[in-house]
Amino acid sequence: MSLLIKTILTFLILIVFTNLGSLRAENTAANTPTVEPTIQENSKSWRVEQTARRAAHKAYLQEHRVDYAWFTKHAFSQSDGIPFILLKLLPHITPEHWGSKANFLDVVGLFQDQRDPNYPIASGIGVSFFNREKLATDSVDYTSVTCGSCHIGRLTDDQGKTTYLDGGINSEFNIVQFKRRIFKSVQTIVDGAGGDAAKREKATPVFLNALDKVHAENPNYFYQNYQYQGRHLNADYERSQIANFKRQAPKLIDAFITKAEKDYEALEILKDQSYEALGQAFWDGTPGMADATGISTTGGYNKIEGFFSRLLAWWFIAPPTPGITDFMAVWEQDRRKVSWDKEKLNIHKGGGQWNGNIPLPIYRNLAAQLTSGLNDNDIRVSAYSTKLLSALPAPVYPFGVDTALANKGRTLFQENCSACHHDNNGTVYDNLGTEFNRAKIVTTPIRDAGAARLAGVCSPSTEIKIHGHSARPCAEFDGVSLVGREDLIMAAADQQLGYNALPLGGIWAQAPYLHNGSVPTLYHLLMPKSRPDQFVKSRLSYDKTKVGFSWQMPLSDKDQSAAAYVFDATVAEVLNNQGHDVNINVGGNTYKLDWSNDPEGAKALIEYLKTL
């Protein structure tokens, strides 16, 4: 190649890289949709809109009631997890770890959904009974968390009425405490017994004796006579399940003990590797938050046999940074749909995670499902959830709105926010000053291993039955075949170093803000100099002025009995509350992120954000 040609190519490459930012901004602006229409300026019009949107939400859930059931009730596996009977015995055997309330899982933030008051266990726990098309006579029912355990939240209004946030954030669910309390229960039951056989021999009669006692007192204790789609979990079914459990008790209890210990070992590894700075706070847990990548990789590590094999695997797959984030809201997934170049068969924008590293909806759901570390995953859970979430409406703001002020905020939103926060903008932004560890957590080995695992669980040829019809949920995306396109399952590690700007439907319900939940309200987001280093997180009451869940210090005695805890943004870099706090210039346009010098403008903008 001649020197002249090399010089020309070098010049062209420099031009391309110099203009990437402006090209991206132009593309973003070109795809910016029209902002929502002006709201009629009176309180009655807002009440009418509230009523209409609530009705639309209710109608959507009714239309998708089967999909919703898979999202909330169906276990991730039919042959792995915690046996249902065993899980419900834990508060009787080790009440010191679970309390004595009927809904013993309250202590880890899994609540009873009063819209389904007869459900035999907390919302967010799925039972494999629901996965089967007919009553089984020889299978033991297993449990796992469900999609709804993290993605159905709630708030309480001034009168104490509960509003459920379907597809939202369960800010109460404490994953670390859930795993820790199960492990502590095992420790209490085996009480120092050494070796698998000794542990099994000590634990088995403890469970069986408790089972006989509980069942003698209440022949419907476990299933509570629950009815579902014409099937009745009555006393006869309960007796058959008890017989199945007793017949397999030593094997089931042995597997339960092993999994509890390995899950806890995985948490210990994760703490030592990435969260030493949190100290005891790591074991207290952070409701509404998780390091899903860390949990997944440590769980995979624990399945590898042999010290040196595990050491070598950990060297390659250990996350390089802590990556704890808030749970995401998952409604309106179609508004996050990726930008897809059908001619080049390439995905160049989009995704649903904080940095959009898994762009296809079915694989995003599967990645979350596989985090539980179970064998024999029922991928119908992810397939049905994909159908539910595609157009699941965001919840409507349940309180009053100053519509005149909101319309002023609408103009400010259009001028400063809509160029980024619009539908299907998968652009990854790396210049907002936010904490960056989550963006770096997926290394090339993690990406390659994750993509291979997902492809193995659901390939283009995988066939399942959805709504009574055969389907191949991983065969294509948006009409384009995925055969031979494993590269599309997860983005390359160096392509997603930043965070997506998502559409803001239901943004009022997604507090606290930033990917790590370090900013309590929309007011604090827009007025960065006012951000508190410490605030109370995971309350259910609401701050209608600053717009977010009640956050004020101190933590009260009442709070201490629930999920609420003190969040400290200074305790570790991964939790810092910086970012989205300096005005930015994109493509020659300046967008205002710091409203400190315009509190009235911030107030108007916040009022408009309530209406999205």
Side-chain angles (χ1 to χ4, degrees), residues 258-316:
T258 299
K259 178 169 174 52
E261 292 177 340
K262 291 206 169 212
D263 280 351
Y264 192 79
E265 182 183 351
L267 289 175
E268 287 183 315
I269 294 168
L270 186 61
K271 177 184 181 296
D272 293 343
Q273 172 72 17
S274 300
Y275 292 96
E276 194 62 41
L278 294 186
Q280 178 58 35
F282 177 87
W283 293 116
D284 293 338
T286 47
M289 303 185 75
D291 182 345
T293 304
I295 290 173
S296 293
T297 51
T298 49
Y301 163 82
N302 272 334
K303 290 186 176 182
I304 299 170
E305 299 296 334
F307 173 78
F308 289 105
S309 296
R310 294 170 79 186
L311 185 64
L312 185 64
W314 186 247
W315 180 266
F316 285 105

Short mmCIF file of all heavy atoms in Angstrom, two decimals, residues 258-316:
data_model
loop_
_atom_site.label_atom_id
_atom_site.label_comp_id
_atom_site.label_asym_id
_atom_site.label_seq_id
_atom_site.Cartn_x
_atom_site.Cartn_y
_atom_site.Cartn_z
N THR A 258 -26.95 -28.69 50.78
CA THR A 258 -25.82 -28.42 49.89
C THR A 258 -25.99 -27.08 49.17
O THR A 258 -25.07 -26.28 49.10
CB THR A 258 -25.68 -29.55 48.86
OG1 THR A 258 -25.43 -30.78 49.55
CG2 THR A 258 -24.53 -29.27 47.90
N LYS A 259 -27.19 -26.84 48.65
CA LYS A 259 -27.42 -25.59 47.92
C LYS A 259 -27.34 -24.38 48.86
O LYS A 259 -26.76 -23.35 48.49
CB LYS A 259 -28.78 -25.61 47.23
CG LYS A 259 -29.09 -24.30 46.49
CD LYS A 259 -30.28 -24.40 45.59
CE LYS A 259 -30.64 -23.04 44.99
NZ LYS A 259 -29.51 -22.36 44.34
N ALA A 260 -27.88 -24.49 50.06
CA ALA A 260 -27.82 -23.38 51.00
C ALA A 260 -26.38 -23.03 51.33
O ALA A 260 -26.00 -21.85 51.38
CB ALA A 260 -28.58 -23.74 52.28
N GLU A 261 -25.55 -24.04 51.53
CA GLU A 261 -24.15 -23.81 51.86
C GLU A 261 -23.39 -23.22 50.67
O GLU A 261 -22.56 -22.32 50.84
CB GLU A 261 -23.51 -25.11 52.33
CG GLU A 261 -24.05 -25.57 53.68
CD GLU A 261 -23.47 -26.90 54.12
OE1 GLU A 261 -22.96 -27.66 53.26
OE2 GLU A 261 -23.54 -27.20 55.33
N LYS A 262 -23.67 -23.71 49.48
CA LYS A 262 -22.96 -23.19 48.30
C LYS A 262 -23.39 -21.77 47.96
O LYS A 262 -22.57 -20.95 47.55
CB LYS A 262 -23.16 -24.12 47.11
CG LYS A 262 -22.45 -25.46 47.28
CD LYS A 262 -22.13 -26.09 45.94
CE LYS A 262 -21.20 -27.29 46.13
NZ LYS A 262 -20.30 -27.46 45.01
N ASP A 263 -24.67 -21.48 48.12
CA ASP A 263 -25.12 -20.11 47.89
C ASP A 263 -24.44 -19.15 48.85
O ASP A 263 -24.04 -18.05 48.47
CB ASP A 263 -26.65 -20.03 48.07
CG ASP A 263 -27.40 -20.51 46.85
OD1 ASP A 263 -26.76 -20.76 45.80
OD2 ASP A 263 -28.65 -20.66 46.94
N TYR A 264 -24.30 -19.58 50.10
CA TYR A 264 -23.66 -18.71 51.09
C TYR A 264 -22.17 -18.57 50.79
O TYR A 264 -21.60 -17.48 50.92
CB TYR A 264 -23.87 -19.28 52.49
CG TYR A 264 -23.49 -18.32 53.59
CD1 TYR A 264 -24.36 -17.29 53.95
CD2 TYR A 264 -22.29 -18.43 54.26
CE1 TYR A 264 -24.04 -16.40 54.96
CE2 TYR A 264 -21.95 -17.54 55.28
CZ TYR A 264 -22.82 -16.53 55.61
OH TYR A 264 -22.49 -15.64 56.61
N GLU A 265 -21.55 -19.66 50.38
CA GLU A 265 -20.14 -19.60 50.00
C GLU A 265 -19.93 -18.62 48.84
O GLU A 265 -18.97 -17.86 48.81
CB GLU A 265 -19.63 -20.98 49.61
CG GLU A 265 -18.15 -21.01 49.26
CD GLU A 265 -17.69 -22.38 48.81
OE1 GLU A 265 -18.46 -23.35 48.94
OE2 GLU A 265 -16.55 -22.49 48.31
N ALA A 266 -20.87 -18.63 47.89
CA ALA A 266 -20.78 -17.71 46.76
C ALA A 266 -20.85 -16.26 47.25
O ALA A 266 -20.12 -15.39 46.75
CB ALA A 266 -21.90 -17.98 45.76
N LEU A 267 -21.72 -15.98 48.21
CA LEU A 267 -21.80 -14.63 48.75
C LEU A 267 -20.51 -14.24 49.47
O LEU A 267 -20.05 -13.10 49.37
CB LEU A 267 -22.98 -14.53 49.72
CG LEU A 267 -24.38 -14.55 49.10
CD1 LEU A 267 -25.45 -14.56 50.20
CD2 LEU A 267 -24.60 -13.35 48.18
N GLU A 268 -19.92 -15.18 50.19
CA GLU A 268 -18.65 -14.89 50.86
C GLU A 268 -17.56 -14.54 49.85
O GLU A 268 -16.76 -13.61 50.06
CB GLU A 268 -18.21 -16.10 51.70
CG GLU A 268 -19.03 -16.30 52.96
CD GLU A 268 -18.52 -17.47 53.78
OE1 GLU A 268 -18.23 -18.52 53.18
OE2 GLU A 268 -18.41 -17.32 55.01
N ILE A 269 -17.53 -15.28 48.75
CA ILE A 269 -16.55 -15.00 47.70
C ILE A 269 -16.77 -13.61 47.12
O ILE A 269 -15.84 -12.83 46.93
CB ILE A 269 -16.64 -16.07 46.59
CG1 ILE A 269 -16.20 -17.43 47.13
CG2 ILE A 269 -15.78 -15.68 45.38
CD1 ILE A 269 -16.52 -18.57 46.18
N LEU A 270 -18.04 -13.30 46.85
CA LEU A 270 -18.37 -12.00 46.27
C LEU A 270 -17.99 -10.87 47.22
O LEU A 270 -17.46 -9.83 46.80
CB LEU A 270 -19.86 -11.95 45.94
CG LEU A 270 -20.37 -10.71 45.21
CD1 LEU A 270 -19.70 -10.58 43.85
CD2 LEU A 270 -21.89 -10.78 45.04
N LYS A 271 -18.25 -11.05 48.50
CA LYS A 271 -17.89 -10.03 49.48
C LYS A 271 -16.38 -9.82 49.51
O LYS A 271 -15.89 -8.68 49.45
CB LYS A 271 -18.39 -10.43 50.87
CG LYS A 271 -17.98 -9.44 51.97
CD LYS A 271 -18.41 -9.92 53.33
CE LYS A 271 -18.01 -8.92 54.42
NZ LYS A 271 -16.54 -8.76 54.54
N ASP A 272 -15.64 -10.90 49.59
CA ASP A 272 -14.18 -10.78 49.66
C ASP A 272 -13.59 -10.19 48.39
O ASP A 272 -12.61 -9.45 48.43
CB ASP A 272 -13.55 -12.15 49.93
CG ASP A 272 -13.91 -12.69 51.31
OD1 ASP A 272 -14.36 -11.90 52.16
OD2 ASP A 272 -13.77 -13.92 51.53
N GLN A 273 -14.20 -10.52 47.26
CA GLN A 273 -13.69 -10.07 45.97
C GLN A 273 -14.02 -8.60 45.71
O GLN A 273 -13.19 -7.84 45.23
CB GLN A 273 -14.29 -10.92 44.84
CG GLN A 273 -13.98 -10.43 43.43
CD GLN A 273 -12.53 -10.66 43.03
OE1 GLN A 273 -11.84 -11.45 43.66
NE2 GLN A 273 -12.08 -9.96 42.00
N SER A 274 -15.25 -8.20 46.02
CA SER A 274 -15.72 -6.90 45.53
C SER A 274 -16.31 -5.97 46.59
O SER A 274 -16.42 -4.77 46.32
CB SER A 274 -16.79 -7.12 44.45
OG SER A 274 -16.28 -7.85 43.35
N TYR A 275 -16.71 -6.49 47.75
CA TYR A 275 -17.48 -5.66 48.67
C TYR A 275 -16.89 -5.61 50.08
O TYR A 275 -17.62 -5.41 51.05
CB TYR A 275 -18.93 -6.16 48.72
CG TYR A 275 -19.65 -5.92 47.42
CD1 TYR A 275 -19.73 -6.93 46.45
CD2 TYR A 275 -20.21 -4.69 47.12
CE1 TYR A 275 -20.35 -6.71 45.24
CE2 TYR A 275 -20.83 -4.46 45.90
CZ TYR A 275 -20.91 -5.48 44.97
OH TYR A 275 -21.52 -5.24 43.77
N GLU A 276 -15.59 -5.74 50.20
CA GLU A 276 -14.97 -5.69 51.51
C GLU A 276 -15.22 -4.34 52.18
O GLU A 276 -15.35 -4.25 53.41
CB GLU A 276 -13.46 -5.93 51.38
CG GLU A 276 -12.76 -6.23 52.69
CD GLU A 276 -13.28 -7.50 53.36
OE1 GLU A 276 -13.53 -8.49 52.66
OE2 GLU A 276 -13.45 -7.49 54.60
N ALA A 277 -15.33 -3.28 51.37
CA ALA A 277 -15.54 -1.94 51.93
C ALA A 277 -16.87 -1.82 52.66
O ALA A 277 -17.02 -0.98 53.55
CB ALA A 277 -15.48 -0.89 50.81
N LEU A 278 -17.85 -2.66 52.32
CA LEU A 278 -19.16 -2.56 52.97
C LEU A 278 -19.16 -3.17 54.37
O LEU A 278 -20.04 -2.85 55.18
CB LEU A 278 -20.23 -3.26 52.12
CG LEU A 278 -20.53 -2.64 50.76
CD1 LEU A 278 -21.70 -3.37 50.11
CD2 LEU A 278 -20.83 -1.16 50.87
N GLY A 279 -18.21 -4.06 54.65
CA GLY A 279 -18.17 -4.67 55.97
C GLY A 279 -19.45 -5.42 56.29
O GLY A 279 -20.03 -6.10 55.45
N GLN A 280 -19.95 -5.24 57.54
CA GLN A 280 -21.16 -5.92 57.97
C GLN A 280 -22.37 -5.52 57.14
O GLN A 280 -23.33 -6.29 56.99
CB GLN A 280 -21.43 -5.61 59.45
CG GLN A 280 -22.71 -6.22 60.01
CD GLN A 280 -22.77 -7.73 59.90
OE1 GLN A 280 -21.74 -8.40 60.02
NE2 GLN A 280 -23.96 -8.28 59.65
N ALA A 281 -22.34 -4.32 56.56
CA ALA A 281 -23.47 -3.86 55.75
C ALA A 281 -23.74 -4.81 54.58
O ALA A 281 -24.87 -4.92 54.12
CB ALA A 281 -23.21 -2.45 55.22
N PHE A 282 -22.70 -5.50 54.11
CA PHE A 282 -22.92 -6.48 53.04
C PHE A 282 -23.86 -7.57 53.51
O PHE A 282 -24.79 -7.96 52.79
CB PHE A 282 -21.60 -7.08 52.59
CG PHE A 282 -21.75 -8.15 51.54
CD1 PHE A 282 -21.79 -7.82 50.19
CD2 PHE A 282 -21.86 -9.50 51.89
CE1 PHE A 282 -21.95 -8.79 49.23
CE2 PHE A 282 -22.01 -10.48 50.93
CZ PHE A 282 -22.06 -10.13 49.59
N TRP A 283 -23.65 -8.08 54.73
CA TRP A 283 -24.47 -9.17 55.24
C TRP A 283 -25.84 -8.68 55.70
O TRP A 283 -26.80 -9.46 55.72
CB TRP A 283 -23.75 -9.88 56.38
CG TRP A 283 -22.53 -10.59 55.92
CD1 TRP A 283 -21.24 -10.33 56.27
CD2 TRP A 283 -22.48 -11.68 55.01
NE1 TRP A 283 -20.39 -11.19 55.62
CE2 TRP A 283 -21.12 -12.04 54.84
CE3 TRP A 283 -23.44 -12.40 54.29
CZ2 TRP A 283 -20.71 -13.07 54.01
CZ3 TRP A 283 -23.04 -13.43 53.46
CH2 TRP A 283 -21.68 -13.75 53.32
N ASP A 284 -25.96 -7.41 56.05
CA ASP A 284 -27.28 -6.86 56.33
C ASP A 284 -28.12 -6.83 55.07
O ASP A 284 -29.35 -6.93 55.12
CB ASP A 284 -27.18 -5.45 56.91
CG ASP A 284 -26.53 -5.43 58.28
OD1 ASP A 284 -26.55 -6.48 58.96
OD2 ASP A 284 -26.00 -4.38 58.67
N GLY A 285 -27.45 -6.69 53.93
CA GLY A 285 -28.14 -6.67 52.65
C GLY A 285 -28.65 -5.29 52.30
O GLY A 285 -28.73 -4.39 53.15
N THR A 286 -28.98 -5.12 51.04
CA THR A 286 -29.47 -3.85 50.53
C THR A 286 -30.77 -4.11 49.78
O THR A 286 -30.75 -4.43 48.59
CB THR A 286 -28.43 -3.21 49.59
OG1 THR A 286 -27.97 -4.20 48.68
CG2 THR A 286 -27.26 -2.64 50.36
N PRO A 287 -31.92 -4.01 50.46
CA PRO A 287 -33.20 -4.26 49.79
C PRO A 287 -33.36 -3.42 48.52
O PRO A 287 -32.99 -2.25 48.48
CB PRO A 287 -34.22 -3.86 50.86
CG PRO A 287 -33.52 -4.10 52.15
CD PRO A 287 -32.09 -3.72 51.89
N GLY A 288 -33.91 -4.07 47.50
CA GLY A 288 -34.13 -3.37 46.23
C GLY A 288 -32.91 -3.28 45.35
O GLY A 288 -32.95 -2.64 44.30
N MET A 289 -31.81 -3.94 45.76
CA MET A 289 -30.56 -3.87 45.00
C MET A 289 -29.96 -5.26 44.85
O MET A 289 -30.24 -6.16 45.65
CB MET A 289 -29.54 -2.97 45.71
CG MET A 289 -30.00 -1.56 45.98
SD MET A 289 -28.69 -0.53 46.69
CE MET A 289 -27.67 -0.22 45.23
N ALA A 290 -29.09 -5.41 43.84
CA ALA A 290 -28.38 -6.68 43.67
C ALA A 290 -27.21 -6.49 42.73
O ALA A 290 -27.21 -5.60 41.87
CB ALA A 290 -29.31 -7.75 43.10
N ASP A 291 -26.21 -7.31 42.91
CA ASP A 291 -25.12 -7.44 41.93
C ASP A 291 -25.37 -8.74 41.19
O ASP A 291 -24.83 -9.79 41.53
CB ASP A 291 -23.77 -7.46 42.64
CG ASP A 291 -22.59 -7.55 41.68
OD1 ASP A 291 -22.80 -7.88 40.50
OD2 ASP A 291 -21.45 -7.30 42.11
N ALA A 292 -26.23 -8.68 40.19
CA ALA A 292 -26.67 -9.91 39.51
C ALA A 292 -25.52 -10.61 38.82
O ALA A 292 -25.44 -11.84 38.81
CB ALA A 292 -27.76 -9.57 38.51
N THR A 293 -24.60 -9.84 38.23
CA THR A 293 -23.47 -10.46 37.54
C THR A 293 -22.56 -11.16 38.53
O THR A 293 -22.10 -12.28 38.29
CB THR A 293 -22.68 -9.40 36.75
OG1 THR A 293 -23.56 -8.73 35.87
CG2 THR A 293 -21.56 -10.03 35.95
N GLY A 294 -22.31 -10.51 39.65
CA GLY A 294 -21.48 -11.13 40.67
C GLY A 294 -22.08 -12.40 41.22
O GLY A 294 -21.41 -13.42 41.39
N ILE A 295 -23.39 -12.38 41.49
CA ILE A 295 -24.07 -13.57 42.00
C ILE A 295 -24.02 -14.70 40.97
O ILE A 295 -23.79 -15.86 41.30
CB ILE A 295 -25.52 -13.22 42.39
CG1 ILE A 295 -25.54 -12.33 43.63
CG2 ILE A 295 -26.33 -14.49 42.65
CD1 ILE A 295 -26.91 -11.80 43.99
N SER A 296 -24.23 -14.35 39.71
CA SER A 296 -24.22 -15.37 38.65
C SER A 296 -22.86 -16.03 38.53
O SER A 296 -22.75 -17.25 38.44
CB SER A 296 -24.61 -14.75 37.31
OG SER A 296 -25.94 -14.32 37.33
N THR A 297 -21.80 -15.21 38.50
CA THR A 297 -20.47 -15.78 38.28
C THR A 297 -19.98 -16.58 39.48
O THR A 297 -19.38 -17.64 39.32
CB THR A 297 -19.46 -14.69 37.94
OG1 THR A 297 -19.53 -13.65 38.92
CG2 THR A 297 -19.74 -14.09 36.58
N THR A 298 -20.29 -16.11 40.70
CA THR A 298 -19.88 -16.88 41.86
C THR A 298 -20.68 -18.18 41.95
O THR A 298 -20.16 -19.22 42.35
CB THR A 298 -20.06 -16.07 43.15
OG1 THR A 298 -21.36 -15.49 43.17
CG2 THR A 298 -19.03 -14.98 43.26
N GLY A 299 -21.96 -18.12 41.56
CA GLY A 299 -22.76 -19.34 41.56
C GLY A 299 -22.22 -20.36 40.58
O GLY A 299 -22.16 -21.56 40.86
N GLY A 300 -21.80 -19.89 39.39
CA GLY A 300 -21.20 -20.78 38.41
C GLY A 300 -19.89 -21.36 38.92
O GLY A 300 -19.60 -22.55 38.73
N TYR A 301 -19.13 -20.55 39.61
CA TYR A 301 -17.86 -21.00 40.18
C TYR A 301 -18.07 -22.15 41.16
O TYR A 301 -17.32 -23.13 41.19
CB TYR A 301 -17.19 -19.81 40.87
CG TYR A 301 -16.10 -20.15 41.85
CD1 TYR A 301 -14.80 -20.42 41.42
CD2 TYR A 301 -16.36 -20.20 43.22
CE1 TYR A 301 -13.81 -20.71 42.33
CE2 TYR A 301 -15.37 -20.49 44.13
CZ TYR A 301 -14.10 -20.74 43.68
OH TYR A 301 -13.11 -21.04 44.59
N ASN A 302 -19.13 -22.05 41.96
CA ASN A 302 -19.37 -23.07 42.97
C ASN A 302 -19.78 -24.42 42.39
O ASN A 302 -19.79 -25.42 43.09
CB ASN A 302 -20.44 -22.58 43.96
CG ASN A 302 -19.84 -21.80 45.10
OD1 ASN A 302 -18.68 -22.01 45.44
ND2 ASN A 302 -20.60 -20.91 45.68
N LYS A 303 -20.17 -24.43 41.11
CA LYS A 303 -20.54 -25.69 40.48
C LYS A 303 -19.34 -26.44 39.92
O LYS A 303 -19.46 -27.58 39.50
CB LYS A 303 -21.56 -25.44 39.37
CG LYS A 303 -22.92 -25.01 39.89
CD LYS A 303 -23.94 -24.92 38.77
CE LYS A 303 -25.31 -24.57 39.33
NZ LYS A 303 -26.34 -24.51 38.28
N ILE A 304 -18.17 -25.78 39.89
CA ILE A 304 -16.98 -26.40 39.35
C ILE A 304 -16.31 -27.24 40.43
O ILE A 304 -16.12 -26.80 41.56
CB ILE A 304 -16.00 -25.33 38.82
CG1 ILE A 304 -16.67 -24.53 37.71
CG2 ILE A 304 -14.71 -25.96 38.32
CD1 ILE A 304 -15.89 -23.30 37.29
N GLU A 305 -15.95 -28.47 40.09
CA GLU A 305 -15.34 -29.38 41.05
C GLU A 305 -13.82 -29.28 40.97
O GLU A 305 -13.24 -29.13 39.90
CB GLU A 305 -15.78 -30.82 40.78
CG GLU A 305 -17.28 -31.06 40.90
CD GLU A 305 -17.78 -30.84 42.31
OE1 GLU A 305 -16.99 -30.98 43.26
OE2 GLU A 305 -18.97 -30.50 42.47
N GLY A 306 -13.16 -29.40 42.10
CA GLY A 306 -11.70 -29.41 42.13
C GLY A 306 -11.13 -28.04 42.44
O GLY A 306 -11.50 -27.04 41.83
N PHE A 307 -10.20 -28.01 43.39
CA PHE A 307 -9.65 -26.73 43.85
C PHE A 307 -8.97 -25.96 42.73
O PHE A 307 -9.23 -24.77 42.52
CB PHE A 307 -8.65 -26.97 44.99
CG PHE A 307 -7.91 -25.73 45.41
CD1 PHE A 307 -8.54 -24.78 46.21
CD2 PHE A 307 -6.61 -25.51 45.00
CE1 PHE A 307 -7.86 -23.63 46.59
CE2 PHE A 307 -5.93 -24.36 45.38
CZ PHE A 307 -6.56 -23.42 46.18
N PHE A 308 -8.08 -26.62 41.98
CA PHE A 308 -7.32 -25.91 40.96
C PHE A 308 -8.20 -25.49 39.79
O PHE A 308 -8.01 -24.42 39.20
CB PHE A 308 -6.14 -26.77 40.48
CG PHE A 308 -5.06 -26.90 41.50
CD1 PHE A 308 -4.89 -28.08 42.20
CD2 PHE A 308 -4.22 -25.83 41.79
CE1 PHE A 308 -3.91 -28.20 43.16
CE2 PHE A 308 -3.23 -25.94 42.76
CZ PHE A 308 -3.06 -27.13 43.45
N SER A 309 -9.19 -26.32 39.46
CA SER A 309 -10.13 -25.94 38.39
C SER A 309 -10.92 -24.70 38.81
O SER A 309 -11.13 -23.78 38.01
CB SER A 309 -11.09 -27.09 38.08
OG SER A 309 -10.39 -28.20 37.58
N ARG A 310 -11.32 -24.68 40.06
CA ARG A 310 -12.09 -23.53 40.55
C ARG A 310 -11.21 -22.29 40.61
O ARG A 310 -11.64 -21.18 40.27
CB ARG A 310 -12.67 -23.85 41.92
CG ARG A 310 -13.70 -24.96 41.90
CD ARG A 310 -14.08 -25.43 43.27
NE ARG A 310 -15.02 -24.53 43.90
CZ ARG A 310 -15.43 -24.67 45.16
NH1 ARG A 310 -14.96 -25.66 45.90
NH2 ARG A 310 -16.28 -23.83 45.67
N LEU A 311 -9.95 -22.46 41.04
CA LEU A 311 -9.03 -21.33 41.11
C LEU A 311 -8.79 -20.74 39.72
O LEU A 311 -8.84 -19.52 39.52
CB LEU A 311 -7.70 -21.79 41.72
CG LEU A 311 -6.65 -20.69 41.97
CD1 LEU A 311 -7.16 -19.70 43.01
CD2 LEU A 311 -5.33 -21.31 42.42
N LEU A 312 -8.59 -21.61 38.74
CA LEU A 312 -8.37 -21.15 37.37
C LEU A 312 -9.62 -20.47 36.83
O LEU A 312 -9.54 -19.40 36.19
CB LEU A 312 -7.99 -22.34 36.48
CG LEU A 312 -7.62 -22.02 35.03
CD1 LEU A 312 -6.35 -21.17 34.99
CD2 LEU A 312 -7.41 -23.31 34.24
N ALA A 313 -10.79 -21.05 37.08
CA ALA A 313 -12.03 -20.46 36.59
C ALA A 313 -12.25 -19.09 37.22
O ALA A 313 -12.64 -18.13 36.52
CB ALA A 313 -13.20 -21.39 36.90
N TRP A 314 -12.01 -18.98 38.53
CA TRP A 314 -12.23 -17.70 39.20
C TRP A 314 -11.29 -16.63 38.65
O TRP A 314 -11.65 -15.46 38.52
CB TRP A 314 -12.04 -17.85 40.70
CG TRP A 314 -12.39 -16.60 41.44
CD1 TRP A 314 -11.56 -15.77 42.12
CD2 TRP A 314 -13.68 -16.00 41.53
NE1 TRP A 314 -12.25 -14.71 42.63
CE2 TRP A 314 -13.55 -14.82 42.29
CE3 TRP A 314 -14.95 -16.35 41.04
CZ2 TRP A 314 -14.63 -14.00 42.58
CZ3 TRP A 314 -16.01 -15.54 41.32
CH2 TRP A 314 -15.85 -14.39 42.08
N TRP A 315 -10.08 -17.03 38.29
CA TRP A 315 -9.10 -16.08 37.73
C TRP A 315 -9.67 -15.43 36.47
O TRP A 315 -9.44 -14.25 36.21
CB TRP A 315 -7.81 -16.82 37.43
CG TRP A 315 -6.73 -15.94 36.85
CD1 TRP A 315 -6.44 -15.72 35.54
CD2 TRP A 315 -5.81 -15.14 37.60
NE1 TRP A 315 -5.40 -14.84 35.42
CE2 TRP A 315 -4.99 -14.47 36.67
CE3 TRP A 315 -5.60 -14.92 38.97
CZ2 TRP A 315 -3.97 -13.60 37.07
CZ3 TRP A 315 -4.58 -14.07 39.35
CH2 TRP A 315 -3.78 -13.42 38.41
N PHE A 316 -10.43 -16.20 35.69
CA PHE A 316 -10.93 -15.68 34.42
C PHE A 316 -12.32 -15.07 34.51
O PHE A 316 -12.64 -14.14 33.79
CB PHE A 316 -10.93 -16.81 33.37
CG PHE A 316 -9.56 -17.14 32.85
CD1 PHE A 316 -8.92 -18.29 33.26
CD2 PHE A 316 -8.91 -16.28 31.98
CE1 PHE A 316 -7.66 -18.60 32.79
CE2 PHE A 316 -7.64 -16.58 31.51
CZ PHE A 316 -7.00 -17.74 31.92
#
